[in-house]
Amino acid sequence: MEDGFMERVTTFKTNHQESDPKTLLVPWQRYLQEHDHSAGTIKKYIQAVSNFLGWYEEEEHAPLQLTALTPIALIGYRNELQHEQHKSISTINLRISALRTWCGWLIDQGYLTIDPSARVKLVNGQTGSKREGLSNPQVNALLRQAQASRDAARNYAIIQTLLQTGIRLSECSALTFGDVTFGERGGMLLVRAGKGNKVRSVPLNSSARDALATYIAPRLEIEKPSIKAVATKWPKSASPHAFDALWESQKGGALTTSAMGQMIADLVKAAGSLVPEEMSAHTLRHTFARNYLTQYPGDLVGLAALLGHSSLDTTKLYTQPSIHQLAKKVEQLHINAYSE
């Protein structure tokens, strides 16, 4: 195994996969009590897993099934705690530890065959405060990889939408045709299910509209994709198609948040060393924010409105230099005899 991790594998009980994870909290709590865990630890562990199950149901609009308990789901939850809820490092690591213990119990009891938490790392101080985006070469490498992927037009449009708007992955996956105002000279996304159930509008620039036009054209029966042609045939708000999901899976259903996250993870892996392996959809949000403030220094109010931040304190974190920017400055200090 890589990185010193040992994946736990056990005999699978076929009828267990249909079990409701929420109901499994009762026997798990009893197990923890029988194995001398303190009352305080048990309470925190149960709350941590309950919080995860609630978060998953809100994100996916459906309760968690054990078949969907994957590393991507767990990492998505960790990123939510770290980047969106800004929980303390100790809180994040406590919840991840609780999920690891729970997954271990599910393995031992035969509910899972492979431990999905085996490679889900805890966070450290530096990781908890980093809001570093991609460099231009890294962005280009990711976009090229999207264009070379299996569902190229859709994947490229998703990456461009996230990159050009800074919206969250869950907000992107929830978009319908009716949430998009698509015009030849402008566009707008209506985020209906933002953090804290806040609604906001985000401009859709020409790069995002061009990518969307290429992806959507076949669904609108347009032979020669163009922004103008797609704008003309875009479903109106009163149309029955206004409630259709903007992003489709390869089977024709709505693309879920988890599936979209997995697609991005696959692109990152395929890009190899050209894109940081820890890159996620949230990195694209950071990239948008960093680029916005670089071009419009000091416009924290504008950026906060675009990102859906309720506090400017959160937005101010993007004004802090990235570790790579600091490394470059340190390298160029005059006291560095080997400075290039």
Side-chain angles (χ1 to χ4, degrees):
M1 294 295 175
E2 297 178 357
D3 301 326
F5 285 97
M6 294 295 293
E7 291 188 349
R8 303 175 64 182
V9 181
T10 190
T11 303
F12 182 67
K13 301 177 182 179
T14 55
N15 62 326
H16 277 21
Q17 202 169 20
E18 299 175 357
S19 299
D20 179 5
K22 289 184 179 180
T23 64
L24 295 179
L25 292 180
V26 175
W28 182 49
Q29 181 176 2
R30 187 163 54 248
Y31 169 87
L32 294 175
Q33 291 169 340
E34 292 171 352
H35 286 75
D36 297 325
H37 286 75
S38 69
T41 296
I42 294 173
K43 181 179 180 181
K44 291 177 181 178
Y45 274 22
I46 296 297
Q47 288 178 339
V49 176
S50 297
N51 186 276
F52 165 71
L53 295 175
W55 168 83
Y56 183 93
E57 184 168 353
E58 182 178 349
E59 289 289 303
E60 298 295 337
H61 307 291
L64 174 74
Q65 301 297 317
L66 289 179
T67 52
L69 185 54
T70 63
I72 289 297
L74 294 172
I75 291 172
Y77 176 64
R78 184 192 63 190
N79 289 341
E80 165 71 15
L81 296 175
Q82 184 177 356
H83 300 301
E84 295 299 329
Q85 297 186 21
H86 308 295
K87 296 294 185 181
S88 67
I89 295 172
S90 60
T91 297
I92 296 171
N93 289 340
L94 171 65
R95 295 191 183 182
I96 296 302
S97 296
L99 287 167
R100 284 177 171 178
T101 303
W102 183 53
C103 288
W105 178 79
L106 292 173
I107 287 286
D108 291 338
Q109 298 299 310
Y111 292 96
L112 297 176
T113 55
I114 297 177
D115 188 354
S117 69
R119 298 178 183 275
V120 180
K121 299 179 181 179
L122 302 178
V123 299
N124 56 41
Q126 184 182 50
T127 301
S129 62
K130 280 180 62 176
R131 286 173 171 259
E132 189 170 350
L134 299 177
S135 65
N136 288 337
Q138 291 169 339
V139 167
N140 292 333
L142 183 65
L143 291 173
R144 287 196 304 270
Q145 194 60 53
Q147 290 177 317
S149 61
R150 182 178 178 183
D151 202 334
R154 184 202 67 186
N155 295 346
Y156 180 80
I158 289 173
I159 297 298
Q160 280 286 25
T161 299
L162 291 168
L163 178 67
Q164 304 294 340
T165 64
I167 62 175
R168 301 175 177 92
L169 184 67
S170 59
E171 295 170 346
C172 184
S173 66
L175 290 172
T176 64
F177 277 98
D179 295 330
V180 181
T181 301
F182 195 98
E184 184 179 358
R185 298 186 179 279
M188 197 75 66
L189 296 181
L190 181 62
V191 179
R192 297 181 183 274
K195 192 167 184 61
N197 292 321
K198 293 180 180 178
V199 179
R200 73 181 189 281
S201 294
V202 182
L204 199 62
N205 66 20
S206 54
S207 289
R209 295 202 315 281
D210 182 73
L212 270 173
T214 301
Y215 164 58
I216 292 297
R219 292 174 63 183
L220 299 182
E221 300 181 346
I222 297 173
E223 294 184 3
K224 295 182 179 180
S226 69
I227 291 179
K228 181 177 181 179
V230 170
T232 301
K233 297 193 67 175
W234 195 272
K236 306 299 181 184
S237 57
S239 166
H241 295 295
F243 297 98
D244 290 350
L246 185 63
W247 312 110
E248 281 190 339
S249 67
Q250 293 176 349
K251 294 183 179 180
L255 191 68
T256 66
T257 302
S258 293
M260 190 176 287
Q262 183 62 60
M263 178 274 291
I264 294 174
D266 291 342
L267 292 180
V268 172
K269 183 177 180 180
S273 61
L274 296 177
V275 177
E277 63 178 357
E278 67 273 14
M279 182 261 161
S280 67
H282 222 77
T283 310
L284 297 176
R285 181 170 165 86
H286 296 334
T287 304
F288 170 81
R290 288 278 185 181
N291 277 272
Y292 185 91
L293 285 183
T294 297
Q295 191 160 348
Y296 306 106
D299 187 16
L300 293 175
V301 174
L303 181 59
L306 292 170
L307 295 179
H309 287 164
S310 57
S311 171
L312 284 182
D313 289 338
T314 303
T315 316
K316 284 179 181 178
L317 295 174
Y318 288 108
T319 64
Q320 298 176 359
S322 71
I323 191 65
H324 288 302
Q325 290 171 329
L326 292 174
K328 185 176 181 179
K329 290 181 178 180
V330 170
E331 182 66 29
Q332 294 174 346
L333 285 174
H334 295 307
I335 59 175
N336 179 15
Y338 297 97
S339 176
E340 297 180 356

